[in-house]
Amino acid sequence: MSRKRIIAGNWKMNKTPSEAKALCETLIPLVGNDDVEVVFCVPAIDIVPVVEAVKGTNIGVGAENLYIEDSGAYTGEISADMILDAGAKYVIIGHSERREYFKEDDEFLNKKVKKAIEKGLVPILCCGESLEQREKGVTIDWIRLQIKSDLDGVSAADAKKVVIAYEPIWAIGTGKTATSDQAEEVCAAIRACLAEIYDQETADAIRIQYGGSMNASNAAELLSKPNIDGGLIGGASLKADFGQIVNA
Ligand code: PEP
């Protein structure tokens, strides 16, 4: 089963619209690779200028969040239709920063996944364990619970549209990467869980990324693992390293 690799940058709350355009100019020449789906997930205010800047390239654009309703009195939120109309096609859902700082739980994230799919956005669904959970030996149980809850009620056909990002919380922004064996173990467990929920064919079609301090020096090793189909990159997506990761 061949799965197209997907390397996505998560810019987080970095880059003003003019800085975003400048970053696109730096990165565009570095990420041209037709074998890889390249995505820039950017702050809502940067979506329009980034879509404009990457026109005619192989780069897709994503949002970092969406709300579960279509429109209305939800001050500060953005809808799937707004994201799509701005020209983005992907959306990050369930990043650990949103789970922690904005108290987003799996029931809410499940609604976001369903909304994204209903509207035709590709959800990049994040899951991951804390250091405490890893040390207690409950990583796989925890990840299985997250996956089962976040995909609850999602059909096999729709699940194939989802990209899952395994991001151990202790590795995000810390410079501490999971070893390729640790990352592969969890990504393989995620695939086994998907096969249980759906079937092997569906599980084999779903792309699973690793995220957590991935950079130009460790990307090739992580991406060489059979169940790691790409990366979700934070810090290193804001510099030339991102090009090296795409081509790793
Ligand atoms: C992330 O925030 O999704 C991430 C993986 O960050 P970093 O690469 O900086 O660890």
Side-chain angles (χ1 to χ4, degrees):
M1 170 96 228
S2 77
R3 295 179 289 267
K4 186 164 188 182
R5 288 188 180 277
I6 174 162
I7 303 287
N10 173 13
W11 290 12
K12 310 196 187 194
M13 198 176 74
N14 294 297
K15 305 299 171 191
T16 63
S18 37
E19 289 168 346
K21 275 198 255 175
L23 181 58
C24 288
E25 277 161 32
T26 307
L27 293 180
I28 289 168
L30 308 176
V31 301
N33 183 336
D34 289 338
D35 296 335
V36 180
E37 206 167 307
V38 179
V39 184
F40 294 170
C41 294
V42 304
I45 198 162
D46 293 341
I47 294 175
V48 169
V50 168
V51 166
E52 186 59 34
V54 304
K55 232 175 229 161
T57 73
N58 61 324
I59 301 162
V61 180
E64 297 177 11
N65 188 25
L66 88 167
Y67 194 58
I68 56 173
E69 299 295 342
D70 288 345
S71 63
Y74 304 101
T75 304
E77 294 297 319
I78 61 166
S79 71
D81 289 329
M82 291 171 182
I83 295 168
L84 286 161
D85 190 64
K89 297 193 168 59
Y90 304 77
V91 60
I92 298 177
I93 294 175
H95 191 281
S96 61
E97 288 151 16
R98 294 215 60 90
R99 290 177 188 262
E100 183 183 348
Y101 305 137
F102 303 97
K103 307 290 171 234
E104 296 190 0
D105 62 15
D106 289 308
E107 200 183 324
F108 185 51
L109 295 172
N110 174 245
K111 290 184 182 155
K112 289 193 175 195
V113 170
K114 287 176 172 162
K115 180 55 72 178
I117 293 170
E118 175 201 323
K119 295 290 180 173
L121 282 165
V122 175
I124 300 179
L125 170 64
C126 304
C127 59
E129 83 285 5
S130 65
L131 186 57
E132 195 188 349
Q133 287 170 317
R134 175 156 285 270
E135 285 169 349
K136 276 195 192 146
V138 299
T139 296
I140 306 280
D141 290 344
W142 175 249
I143 302 288
R144 285 171 54 85
L145 192 68
Q146 287 187 316
I147 295 295
K148 288 188 176 182
S149 318
D150 298 345
L151 293 180
D152 187 40
V154 175
S155 70
D158 283 342
K160 289 182 188 172
K161 300 169 189 160
V162 177
V163 175
I164 293 177
Y166 165 55
E167 298 208 306
I169 299 168
W170 48 272
I172 296 179
T174 57
K176 248 193 243 171
T177 319
T179 65
S180 55
D181 286 339
Q182 284 173 325
E184 169 63 14
E185 183 193 15
V186 180
C187 291
I190 291 172
R191 203 172 307 284
C193 178
L194 294 168
E196 255 174 64
I197 305 173
Y198 301 106
D199 51 66
Q200 195 60 49
E201 191 255 326
T202 303
D204 285 340
I206 296 175
R207 292 174 301 170
I208 305 175
Q209 300 172 310
Y210 167 78
S213 299
M214 196 188 261
N215 57 40
S217 3
N218 58 29
E221 165 74 19
L222 286 157
L223 295 167
S224 71
K225 294 293 181 182
N227 285 290
I228 303 179
D229 306 312
L232 182 57
I233 327 293
S237 70
L238 300 170
K239 33 189 192 178
D241 280 50
F242 191 68
Q244 286 171 266
I245 299 172
V246 168
N247 293 301

